[in-house]
Amino acid sequence: MLLFHCLSNGFGMLYLSVLVTFAACNAPPVPLDDILIEKTSVPDKCVRAVKEGDYVRYHYIGTFPDGTKFDSSYDRGSSYNVFVGKKQLIEGMDKALVGMCVNERRLVKVPPHLAYGKKGYGTIIPPDSILHFDVLLLDVWNPEDGVQINTYHTPSVCDRKVEVSDYVRYHYNGTLLDGTLFDSSHTRLRTYDTYVGIGWLIAGMDQGLLGMCVGERRIITLPPSLGYGENGDGSDIPGQASLVFDVVLLDLHNPKDQITVTNQQVPESCTRKTIAGDFVRYHYNGSLLDGTFFDSSYSRNRTYDTYVGQGYVIAGMDEGLLGVCVGERRTITIPPHLAYGEEGTGSTIPGSAVLVFDVHIIDFHNPSDNTKVTVTFKPEECDKQTKKGDFVKYHYNASLMDGTHIDSTFDYGKTYNIVLGANQVVPGMEDGLMEMCVGEKRHLVIPPHLGYGERGVTGEVPGSAVLLFDIELVDVEEGLPEGYMFIWNEDVSPDLFAVIDKDQNQALEPSEFTDYIMQQVNEGKGRLAPGFDPYRIIDNMFTNQDRNGDGKITEAEFKLKADEAAAHDEL
């Protein structure tokens, strides 16, 4: 007697350890009463198991017990597709497929009475054949299945969900139920953009996208009846295949959408709001609806400056910048048909993208604006008011409309001194200092065309900036009548030329002329225009009298202002 491990049925499945004679090991195998199943590979996760009435797609290799292959779906390059439990298979296979999971692999042994029995199958399968099948399940679905949705990420904020006729932009990975990838928008580096619910998509995707929020991620599983049906797509998707889409929604709008304004922060004081034709300076951060950043004025360290309501910017921004106050912050959401449309801008903004701008209004003005003067303090006595030609001394604090400090005379500990009407300051300041009393205080709003214009002052005043000045008039020295740089305080000698001509050579030298005028000023007999270099004034007066430019003034050339036919600045 020897100890053998003998095959009890010749199928390599069930073993008996018995003490038998050598002859016993050659005994005929015990017949199979039922199918035998060996699970050779089981997936970690089994979402669904086959039940009767399901439709399955599977690959198989069919062999006899000696290993001879009689059939294989792999050789045909196509899975075997069939309903389970509806007698479309041999009985043993109908039983063997029940309970299987997608990607599960089974070795199934089917006895003759559950296969082709005593008749066999033509010349391929002899009568009373035991059949072995190596089965791999690829897909399972049921005619009653609908779209299955598994949301695995929901954004914390969801202001809007996809509805029928909305236009969406989304990324996806498309796989078969066994995980085989057939398509991906990620590999094309471009979203899939489409209308939802109006037949532009396969029916299941039309349903599966409804109710999504921007930023939401979901798994959408479709039966073939809601996918590509019996024929597949002719290339990557086989017929009767379930489809699995891993989707992230990036963008959502409707063709009827207008801009939306949210997150408004309006300053307490808002005396004026933008209207069409105003010129606006603002900062912004621009992003797509999923939060992807595409542009910022802050990164350039410069405001964006433009007219509003006149087509200088995209239509949605043109509208969104109307009715805002200086200092206001708002979020403007712009649908693509009011932004960059189907084409986008190339690499920065994709086609059909909703744009989100977080805007901060720095200042605005209108080209028709004048200097706005607000008197904040006026002394009780105000007999003399400033006029053109006066020499004025004043203090100021200067800032931009957003409060940014520019300059202050208090920082230097001295007043700023100018002659009104002499173009020594910006035109808006000239306007603001007119008809002012000593001790009076004013608040000036100066538009850029009366300030530093489009160029501004490098490093100090931005281009096209509105200026704010708080000014206080400290002192005024009355100027001369317009057109005069020197006047007499008393009667003039009828023989003035001879009085000035000290050396009696019938010609006035520059030194004689200068000495005489300065003497009159010092003795209070005459006045030079205040606020200018006296010697430059006198040089100019001498030049005007020296008609022929020979460096001296003759009596024939010498004339008083009252004797001149053409007015110019001189005696």
Side-chain angles (χ1 to χ4, degrees), residues 2 145 152 375 404 407 431 458 464 523:
L2 297 173
D145 287 348
Y152 64 93
V375 177
T404 301
D407 195 17
D431 297 339
T458 303
S464 300
E523 292 176 358

Side-chain angles (χ1 to χ4, degrees), residues 160-170 193-196 212-214 249-260 289 333-342 350-355:
R160 179 176 183 176
K161 295 182 178 182
V162 177
E163 298 179 0
V164 171
S165 81
D166 282 345
Y167 193 90
V168 296
R169 295 174 49 245
Y170 62 94
D193 309 338
T194 183
Y195 287 98
V196 177
M212 283 193 81
C213 306
V214 171
L249 186 65
L250 302 183
D251 200 341
L252 156 67
H253 77 277
N254 193 282
K256 297 179 181 179
D257 287 349
Q258 300 298 315
I259 69 164
T260 57
L289 206 57
T333 303
I334 304 175
H337 50 275
L338 296 177
Y340 293 100
E342 295 181 3
S352 301
V354 177
L355 307 183

Side-chain angles (χ1 to χ4, degrees), residues 40-60:
T40 56
S41 177
V42 179
D44 294 332
K45 188 176 182 181
C46 182
V47 177
R48 176 177 187 171
V50 176
K51 63 182 185 299
E52 288 189 359
D54 284 345
Y55 192 91
V56 295
R57 294 172 49 247
Y58 64 93
H59 271 306
Y60 70 91

Side-chain angles (χ1 to χ4, degrees), residues 234-283:
S235 58
D236 298 312
I237 300 174
Q240 301 290 30
S242 300
L243 306 180
V244 181
F245 291 92
D246 189 342
V247 175
V248 55
L249 186 65
L250 302 183
D251 200 341
L252 156 67
H253 77 277
N254 193 282
K256 297 179 181 179
D257 287 349
Q258 300 298 315
I259 69 164
T260 57
V261 175
T262 56
N263 302 324
Q264 284 184 274
Q265 299 178 33
V266 181
E268 293 183 4
S269 175
C270 178
T271 57
R272 177 177 178 180
K273 295 184 178 182
T274 54
I275 60 173
D278 283 346
F279 191 88
V280 182
R281 295 174 55 243
Y282 63 97
H283 272 303

Side-chain angles (χ1 to χ4, degrees), residues 1-6 16-27:
M1 299 293 291
L2 297 173
L3 183 64
F4 287 91
H5 288 283
C6 296
L16 295 176
S17 180
V18 296
L19 289 174
V20 296
T21 62
F22 183 78
C25 287
N26 290 320

